[in-house]
């Protein structure tokens, strides 16, 4: 099963929750950091035997000698990644989404598959579990293509469950991260910012139709509006992590909270059970 | 005119709370929330909408079942796995469709329409700290970079019309599309960071991005006293790279309390916080004027 830990808003504690769950989950498990813009999970899980590979997206290579200036490519392209100016065929690889349309449509075969580096995919081992993270190349605008490559290569079923640390927000990268999940855990905090972004996340992820539950982090700060919203929308609260400076301090040093603060263990065990139960109920329905 | 954007790499570092406090201190600025995906600045500034505009960007493929001959070419050519065969025929999953036009262009019976996509709404509003330009992308939508660019252009125009010297923007988390769009043409990026391992990690990545865009970097360490060793590591990194640290703000529950009240931190009467923020603001202005 694939479990995605998402949040809407950044900084609510997705990575802390993912790292804590990974620490108590039955092996074999694959922990995946899909927050490829700012991956942090490795700072907590401290994987070893790391192997780094480059990830690419297909972009067109142009052969100007073959181009007759018919503009079929630039008329097809929706991303302003290819244009014909006078007699010159110009490509803008950074703008390309890799749809392959220009290469397919060119009657002169003046365009052939080339590549642009998206970033890196790093794999390793962490306490007997598999670890995978994407790291977007700095300057690369599009994170979903890198995320999709990681998702396509996941060892599903044969090697246990998958925990995904999703990127913040509710736009294309966050949707990409949760799209294949069997269960979505929404981490939020009981503040106006937390509620506002939690509401957006709920709106964005509900149509996917997967079981969804909330983790309320820093419980005790702010106000009760998040609880009211969960009641109103029938979102189960699977865990509450009390606001505690020692949790923040453990985090700041890169310690997994459930390991640094043993009293948190029952909270995460119960969260894990709720996640598994929610998925089982769906698969037996 | 100057443009300052508050970013962080990571979410939750305190960008919006800091932007709100700076908005209170700026008496000659247009305010802008460039986090179009998860905007929060309006929760502090309670804007009153003066202008509401719909945002359209890109297109979405829709298969007309009556014209479709079920040849399957669209499914074979779609690189985004957006087209699947269902009981009713081939269908486009709008969540996966990138609007690339390939299926539309290659469909033999031309059975695929390609309407433009309504992706969100943007606003020009009045706040107690002045004019604010902001937006909300619909959940699940893309093209946030284009919406960011549109907001920036509008904010610039308003600043020129109203004779303001500064566009002060709350940025998006991360280093991808929306942040890249935020940085284009910006004079100074204030990176809000936290004294944590991940804070330093994210600061390095976002600062490298700023350098790539030739945007000057200033650093504000939030929750400075949470971990003094990590704070020191951040200071050393900033010194090595020549990034001025404009503020060391303590870990303070007053920040959350101000948020709950819908106020800027320096509106709640906490004089220590106010003094620190005023000093940060003046440090920032000095950097801006030096850079010109």
């Amino acid at each position: 099963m694939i479990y995605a830990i998402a949040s809407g808003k950044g900084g609510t504690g997705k990575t802390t929750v993912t790292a804590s769950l990974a620490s108590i989950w039955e092996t074999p498990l694959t922990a995946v950091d899909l927050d490829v813009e700012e991956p942090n999970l490795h700072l907590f899980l401290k994987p070893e035997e790391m192997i780094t590979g480059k990830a690419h997206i297909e972009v067109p290579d142009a052969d100007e000698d073959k181009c007759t200036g018919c503009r079929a490519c630039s008329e097809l392209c929706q991303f302003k990644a290819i244009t014909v100016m006078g007699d010159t065929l110009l490509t803008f690889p950074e703008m390309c989404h890799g749809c392959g349309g220009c290469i397919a449509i060119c009657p002169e075969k003046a365009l052939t598959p080339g590549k642009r580096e998206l970033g890196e995919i790093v794999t390793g081992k962490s306490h007997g579990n598999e670890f995978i993270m994407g790291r977007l190349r700095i300057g690369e605008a599009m994170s979903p293509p890198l995320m999709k490559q990681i998702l396509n290569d996941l060892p599903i079923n044969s090697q246990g469950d998958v925990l995904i640390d999703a990127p913040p927000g509710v736009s294309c990268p966050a949707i990409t991260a949760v799209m294949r999940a069997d269960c979505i855990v929404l981490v939020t905090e009981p503040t106006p910012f937390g509620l506002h972004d939690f509401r957006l996340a709920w709106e964005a992820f509900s149509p996917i139709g997967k079981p969804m539950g909330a983790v309320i982090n820093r419980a005790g700060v702010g106000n009760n509006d998040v609880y009211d919203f969960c009641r109103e929308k029938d979102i189960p609260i699977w865990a509450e992590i009390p606001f505690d400076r020692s949790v923040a301090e453990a985090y700041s040093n890169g310690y997994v909270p459930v390991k640094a603060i043993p009293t948190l263990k029952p909270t995460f065990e119960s969260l894990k059970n709720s996640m598994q139960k929610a998925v089982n109920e769906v698969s037996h329905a | 005119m100057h443009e300052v954007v508050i970013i962080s790499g990571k979410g939750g570092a305190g960008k919006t709370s800091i932007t709100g406090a700076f908005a209170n201190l700026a008496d000659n600025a247009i305010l802008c929330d460039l986090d179009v995906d998860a905007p929060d600045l309006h929760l502090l500034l309670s804007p009153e909408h003066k202008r509401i505009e719909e945002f359209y960007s890109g297109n979405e493929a829709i298969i007309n079942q009556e014209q479709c001959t079920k040849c399957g070419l669209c499914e074979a050519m779609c690189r985004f796995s957006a087209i699947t065969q269902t009981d009713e025929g081939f269908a486009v999953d709008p969540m996966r469709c990138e609007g690339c036009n390939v299926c539309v262009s290659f469909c033999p019976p031309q059975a695929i329409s390609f309407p433009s996509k309504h992706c969100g709404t943007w606003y020009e509003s009045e706040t107690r700290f002045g004019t604010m330009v902001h937006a909300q992308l619909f959940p699940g939508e893309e093209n946030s970079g284009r919406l960011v660019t549109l907001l920036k252009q509008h904010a610039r125009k308003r600043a020129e019309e109203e004779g303001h010297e500064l566009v002060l923007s709350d940025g998006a988390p991360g280093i991808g599309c929306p942040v890249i769009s935020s940085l284009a043409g910006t004079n100074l990026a204030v990176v809000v960071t936290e004294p944590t391992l991940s804070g330093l990690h994210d600061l390095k990545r976002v600062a490298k991005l700023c350098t790539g865009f030739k945007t000057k970097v200033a650093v504000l360490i939030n929750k400075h006293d949470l971990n003094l060793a990590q704070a020191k590591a951040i200071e050393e990194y900033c010194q090595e790279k020549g990034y001025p640290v404009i503020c060391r703000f303590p870990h303070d529950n007053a920040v959350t309390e101000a948020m709950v009240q819908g106020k800027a931190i320096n509106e709640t009467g906490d004089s220590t916080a106010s003094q620190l923020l005023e000093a940060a603001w003046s440090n920032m202005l000095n950097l801006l004027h030096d850079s010109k």
Side-chain angles (χ1 to χ4, degrees), chain B residues 1-4 164-168 185 187 288-289 291-292:
Chain B
M1 199 205 324
H2 294 291
E3 286 182 44
V4 172
H164 289 310
E165 286 163 9
L166 179 68
V167 174
L168 177 67
N187 306 87
L288 259 188
H289 294 128
S291 69
K292 209 160 195 188

Side-chain angles (χ1 to χ4, degrees), chain B residues 1-284:
Chain B
M1 199 205 324
H2 294 291
E3 286 182 44
V4 172
V5 62
I6 319 288
I7 54 173
S8 67
K10 175 179 163 16
K15 275 186 304 295
T16 304
S17 294
I18 297 297
T19 310
F22 280 1
N24 185 14
L25 291 163
D27 47 22
N28 201 10
I30 293 283
L31 310 171
C32 200
D33 192 346
L34 296 179
D35 186 353
V36 297
D37 181 6
D40 283 333
L41 190 60
H42 65 284
L43 298 171
L44 298 183
L45 301 191
S46 325
E48 196 181 312
H49 301 157
K50 296 284 176 196
R51 182 175 168 188
I52 302 176
E53 299 279 347
E54 300 309 327
F55 171 66
Y56 285 84
S57 182
N59 300 74
E60 182 180 11
I62 298 171
I63 299 174
N64 180 334
Q65 298 303 337
E66 280 168 25
Q67 284 171 269
C68 175
T69 57
K70 304 195 170 35
C71 71
L73 185 64
C74 54
E75 184 188 18
M77 289 195 77
C78 179
R79 295 273 177 98
F80 309 108
S81 312
I83 301 179
T84 45
Q85 203 165 3
T86 66
D87 295 342
E88 287 90 48
F90 287 91
V92 180
D93 177 353
M95 293 261 220
R96 292 176 193 254
C97 177
E98 295 252 337
C100 72
N101 196 23
V102 167
C103 59
V104 183
S105 296
F106 285 90
C107 174
Q110 297 181 327
I112 307 179
S113 62
F114 204 43
S116 63
K117 222 173 161 187
H118 185 195
C119 299
T121 312
W122 66 274
Y123 312 90
E124 185 186 307
S125 302
E126 271 318 305
T127 76
R128 62 191 183 280
F129 302 144
T131 302
M132 174 180 178
V133 179
H134 55 126
Q136 177 68 63
L137 199 66
F138 294 148
E141 287 300 343
E142 53 181 320
N143 278 320
S144 53
R146 280 191 199 168
L147 183 51
V148 166
T149 304
L150 188 152
L151 290 187
K152 279 173 61 124
Q153 282 167 349
H154 189 71
R156 246 174 240 160
K157 201 171 127 230
R158 293 299 288 153
E160 274 164 22
E161 285 166 4
E162 293 182 16
H164 289 310
E165 286 163 9
L166 179 68
V167 174
L168 177 67
S169 302
D170 192 5
I175 60 162
C177 180
V179 183
I180 288 175
S181 300
S182 306
L183 288 176
T186 294
N187 306 87
L188 177 71
V190 175
V191 184
V192 179
T193 186
E194 294 175 327
T196 65
L197 263 190
S198 22
L200 178 57
H201 180 258
D202 300 338
L203 166 66
K204 285 180 181 172
R205 281 172 66 80
V206 82
K208 195 171 162 194
L209 182 72
C210 293
T211 313
F213 277 88
K214 300 197 165 45
T215 304
K216 202 166 173 178
V217 172
V219 173
L220 188 152
I221 307 178
N222 196 9
K223 305 178 188 166
H224 183 264
D225 52 344
L226 181 68
N227 186 325
L228 291 174
Q230 296 291 354
K232 188 161 171 261
I234 287 176
E235 301 253 3
E236 283 168 0
Y237 171 74
C238 290
Q239 197 168 15
E240 181 197 319
K241 293 288 180 180
Y243 304 143
V245 176
I246 60 165
C247 185
R248 294 159 185 89
F249 198 82
H251 185 271
D252 190 345
N253 289 339
V255 176
T256 310
E257 281 158 29
M259 187 202 292
V260 171
Q261 293 171 37
K263 285 182 174 171
I265 314 165
N266 45 11
E267 279 183 300
T268 56
D270 181 336
S271 59
T272 317
S274 295
Q275 277 170 14
L276 278 170
L277 289 163
E278 271 168 39
W281 178 248
S282 106
N283 288 342
M284 194 204 79

Side-chain angles (χ1 to χ4, degrees), chain A residues 266-277:
Chain A
T267 306
F268 282 99
E269 284 288 353
S270 139
L271 169 61
K272 184 189 77 174
N273 293 337
S274 300
M275 290 161 64
Q276 291 175 332
K277 199 168 153 233

Side-chain angles (χ1 to χ4, degrees), chain A residues 9 12-13 18 35 40 63 67 79-80 99 124 134 138 141 143 146 157 160 172 192 216 228 237 251 259 261 284-285:
Chain A
K9 176 173 160 33
T12 53
T18 313
D35 185 359
N40 286 150
D63 182 345
C67 175
F79 310 112
K80 300 188 175 77
C99 73
I138 293 170
S143 56
L146 176 60
N157 295 332
C172 37
I216 301 192
D228 294 340
I237 296 171
Y251 172 88
K259 283 187 169 169
I261 302 151
H284 292 125

Side-chain angles (χ1 to χ4, degrees), chain A residues 109-171:
Chain A
K109 301 201 166 27
L111 297 165
T112 49
K115 57 188 185 180
R116 170 178 97 227
E117 189 190 326
L118 290 169
E120 296 170 340
I121 297 176
V122 184
T123 57
K125 303 265 181 208
S126 169
H127 304 284
N129 289 326
E130 300 293 323
F131 172 85
I132 306 174
M133 77 168 162
R135 189 152 48 197
L136 195 70
R137 175 177 58 82
I138 293 170
E140 169 62 47
M142 289 172 232
S143 56
L146 176 60
M147 297 165 65
K148 284 176 190 167
Q149 288 188 19
I150 297 171
L151 285 169
N152 287 339
D153 292 341
L154 282 183
I156 294 160
N157 295 332
S158 58
Q159 288 166 60
D161 292 322
V162 175
L163 287 179
I164 292 176
D165 189 3
V170 295
S171 64

Side-chain angles (χ1 to χ4, degrees), chain A residues 174-226:
Chain A
I175 296 286
T176 304
V178 303
M179 203 131 65
R180 286 184 56 198
D182 300 292
C183 171
I184 301 169
V185 180
L186 279 173
V187 185
T188 186
E189 55 181 26
T191 65
F193 289 2
L195 171 66
H196 180 256
D197 299 334
F198 180 65
R199 194 193 296 263
L200 292 173
W202 182 82
E203 281 174 30
F205 301 152
S206 297
I208 300 170
K210 300 292 179 185
M212 198 151 56
V215 171
I216 301 192
N217 195 13
R218 303 191 189 104
V221 304
N223 56 24
N224 286 324
D225 294 349
V226 164

